[in-house]
Amino acid sequence: MESAERVQTPQGRAQRVTAAMVASRAGVSTATVSLVANGKTQGRVSEDNISRVRQAIAELGYVVDGIGSSLAKGVSSIVILVAPDISNPFFAKVIAGVREALGSDYQLLLSVTDAGEFPQADDVRKLLALRPAGLLVDAPNALFLEELSVTGPLVLLDAPGLEAYAPSVNLDVAHGARELAAHLAESGHTRVAYMDSVTGTATFDVRRAAFLDEARARGVSVADDHTVSTTIDVGAAAAAFAAAWPVWQRAGVTAVVCGTDTHAYGVLQEARVAGVRIPEQLAVAGFDDLPYSATSNPSLTSVHLPATPLGLKAGEQLRGLMEGRVLEQPQVTLESSLVVRGSTAQVAGNAGSLSAH
């Protein structure tokens, strides 16, 4: 056969190779091309025709349009996971859990944003043109869900207070936040700073509010000018701490709580540069309990959030919806817990019922 040539459109762009073009080149029907391309030839297509179709496919560079085929059936095997600020290492474990739950029957597509930015409903709606089998949304807010207005299978992850919108798998971040406030109070800290995320999602609002409420109830002060917000990035957190520490130090701040472990790593990094002794001069704590937190220097006190189980359970819930099953428990909450390590010190008294892990 002669070598394949791309057909040029009036605009000069190469035309997409179709099954009909392959069929014409091989001298067979488009149905035969479909059978060969999808591996369904046994007992249905002769070896000669299989060989001719495969040669035509190779010459023309034909690629099976799996999405188009799925759209013709009304739905694809794609599952979309919408997540803000995937730079946070916490999401790697969430994704692993989702992937395990979905298995090989579904393909996971990630819709992510730049650091510090929240997903836009318009952008996600463009992806819905792929007619995904289901949608997972991590750490959304109410406005996003209202603008998105999804009608197909939908499960929310880490979406406290938004249970009315869809089945959800949440983390009891408030419990861990209260444990952390109690630990610092019982360790003798009375002036604490807070480093937050700029993402503006509900989960960060809940963990901050729960910590501040418990701290206030226990006589721990967190002044407005002792709160800063940055993207979930070690460098950004280090720079924010470097700028804030002189003011915090003069005010008598002896502990800083970070909205994520990633923020806390930045504080620990800059504290070493500035000669701030951890935990003697400043106690540092975070949220997420990432793997590195147990081996950092010093090891980091953190609120443990079960990332992999979060993804796994959400994936299981969504799979049930996609396969037409009624969920026995549409709303699931996973526990958080405080893990006390070397980065927080007992300034006075003792840690009460909180023991080191």
Side-chain angles (χ1 to χ4, degrees):
M1 289 185 179
E2 60 183 330
S3 61
E5 293 182 0
R6 294 286 183 179
V7 178
Q8 297 295 317
T9 67
Q11 291 76 25
R13 293 175 295 182
Q15 182 180 18
R16 182 175 66 87
V17 177
T18 66
M21 295 166 66
V22 174
S24 177
R25 173 63 64 94
V28 299
S29 68
T30 55
T32 298
V33 172
S34 177
L35 290 171
V36 175
N38 291 286
K40 298 179 180 180
T41 60
Q42 188 171 4
R44 306 169 77 176
V45 183
S46 69
E47 289 298 324
D48 179 57
N49 281 346
I50 292 173
S51 177
R52 289 160 61 189
V53 170
R54 286 177 175 169
Q55 184 175 350
I57 286 174
E59 291 173 348
L60 295 174
Y62 174 66
V63 178
V64 179
D65 186 1
I67 292 177
S69 176
S70 297
L71 294 182
K73 300 173 186 175
V75 69
S76 73
S77 61
I78 293 171
V79 168
I80 297 175
L81 170 59
V82 181
D85 211 348
I86 203 171
S87 59
N88 185 352
F90 180 79
F91 284 120
K93 288 192 168 187
V94 175
I95 292 168
V98 171
R99 181 67 268 166
E100 181 181 346
L102 294 179
S104 60
D105 294 333
Y106 298 95
Q107 300 301 311
L108 184 62
L109 176 66
L110 301 180
S111 174
V112 300
T113 63
D114 293 332
E117 294 187 8
F118 196 81
Q120 299 297 309
D122 285 345
D123 293 335
V124 177
R125 270 197 296 271
K126 294 174 184 175
L127 291 176
L128 296 182
L130 298 175
R131 298 188 188 178
L135 184 67
L136 295 162
V137 182
D138 190 289
N141 57 34
L143 178 60
F144 171 80
L145 294 174
E146 289 170 0
E147 291 181 347
L148 189 60
S149 187
V150 175
T151 57
L154 168 66
V155 172
L156 309 180
L157 298 79
D158 198 10
L162 302 176
E163 293 83 357
Y165 287 90
S168 60
V169 182
N170 285 321
L171 300 170
D172 186 7
V173 293
H175 174 74
R178 289 190 293 268
E179 278 195 324
L180 177 54
H183 168 63
L184 293 178
E186 292 166 2
S187 297
H189 298 281
T190 59
R191 292 181 181 271
V192 176
Y194 196 94
M195 182 173 290
D196 207 354
S197 167
V198 298
T199 308
T201 56
T203 181
F204 288 110
D205 292 341
V206 169
R207 63 187 71 181
R208 180 182 64 252
F211 174 81
L212 294 179
D213 287 348
E214 186 68 20
R216 191 178 302 110
R218 291 175 175 270
V220 177
S221 169
V222 185
D224 289 343
D225 59 351
H226 297 162
T227 299
V228 295
S229 298
T230 78
T231 56
I232 303 175
D233 176 80
V234 173
F241 175 73
W245 174 240
V247 175
W248 292 354
Q249 186 177 30
R250 286 193 296 271
V253 168
T254 59
V256 56
V257 171
C258 300
T260 71
D261 283 6
T262 302
H263 286 102
Y265 300 157
V267 173
L268 292 177
Q269 173 182 294
E270 184 58 32
R272 283 193 292 271
V273 173
V276 180
R277 300 188 309 278
I278 308 293
E280 292 82 5
Q281 283 182 275
L282 183 71
V284 181
F287 281 80
D288 293 341
D289 192 25
L290 298 177
Y292 182 64
S293 297
T295 57
S296 61
N297 185 23
S299 57
L300 180 66
T301 291
S302 183
V303 175
H304 175 74
L305 303 178
T308 301
L310 173 66
L312 184 62
K313 189 61 181 178
E316 291 173 352
Q317 296 283 73
L318 183 65
R319 183 160 190 155
L321 292 176
M322 293 186 298
E323 296 174 356
R325 298 196 298 271
V326 176
L327 300 182
E328 295 181 2
Q329 190 178 2
Q331 309 299 336
V332 178
T333 300
L334 305 178
E335 294 183 356
S336 66
S337 58
L338 180 65
V339 182
V340 178
R341 298 193 180 100
S343 66
T344 57
Q346 297 179 27
V347 178
N350 57 65
S353 61
L354 292 171
S355 59
H357 288 61

